Amino acid sequence: MQFTIHQLEEWKDVVIQIIPNLHHNILLLRGNLGAGKTTFTQYLLKEFGSDDEISSPTYSIVNEYDTLKGKVYHFDLYRLKNVTEAYDFGIEEYLDNGFLSIIEWPEIYMDELEGYDFHEMTIENTESGREIEFN
């Protein structure tokens, strides 16, 4: 699925179209700094009925949210130096126990995801907005 958005409010339309196509409990988010990965996550979790304050897990590495569907874990692996650090905070347990795990900057953990089914979403900034691809 591909989308082009020009305003923040359009994220809601993207989320509404993606939700019926979320068949796996892991969603990888790719995009440069400021592309909108956390903004997308905010719209997604609000649509899932979360009343939590949704923020970037840049420094905490993982944020946990309650939704009407169950626990959602939001990861930011940007600051990890190696995959051992992911194991140290227990990433496998999160992935196995959440309704949904959203992983920003998943590159360092890609080899370990081989046994999992997951979706990928790429967000690219353009001059006029954002180009989004969801698989």
Side-chain angles (χ1 to χ4, degrees):
M1 301 175 75
Q2 295 185 328
F3 309 92
T4 301
I5 63 171
H6 304 285
Q7 299 176 358
L8 283 178
E9 299 79 32
E10 293 175 277
W11 276 116
K12 182 171 178 152
D13 297 331
V14 171
V15 164
I16 288 170
Q17 292 180 60
I18 285 176
I19 286 175
N21 294 288
L22 276 175
H23 304 298
H24 310 300
N25 71 330
I26 299 173
L27 172 59
L28 309 181
L29 296 183
R30 299 177 185 272
N32 59 350
L33 289 171
K37 297 179 294 291
T38 298
T39 301
F40 164 78
T41 301
Q42 290 169 336
Y43 277 88
L44 180 66
L45 295 186
K46 291 300 178 192
E47 202 61 34
F48 282 143
S50 179
D51 291 327
D52 295 335
E53 183 72 30
I54 293 124
S55 61
S56 174
T58 301
Y59 295 103
S60 61
I61 300 178
V62 61
N63 289 341
E64 179 179 317
Y65 301 107
D66 292 314
T67 73
L68 298 176
K69 302 269 188 183
K71 293 276 186 206
V72 173
Y73 302 108
H74 182 199
F75 301 90
D76 184 331
L77 304 184
Y78 182 77
R79 295 183 327 115
L80 298 188
K81 293 176 182 62
N82 56 56
V83 74
T84 303
E85 292 180 345
Y87 287 120
D88 287 348
F89 74 77
I91 192 169
E92 292 171 304
E93 190 170 326
Y94 287 108
L95 296 179
D96 291 337
N97 292 305
F99 161 69
L100 181 64
S101 291
I102 301 167
I103 305 175
E104 296 186 25
W105 303 98
E107 290 77 10
I108 200 163
Y109 198 69
M110 287 306 295
D111 288 344
E112 282 65 27
L113 288 171
E114 234 178 75
Y116 292 93
D117 292 322
F118 55 84
H119 295 284
E120 289 187 74
M121 188 165 130
T122 303
I123 307 166
E124 291 185 29
N125 288 326
T126 65
E127 288 182 22
S128 62
R130 288 175 172 83
E131 298 290 329
I132 300 144
E133 184 171 339
F134 172 82
N135 298 311

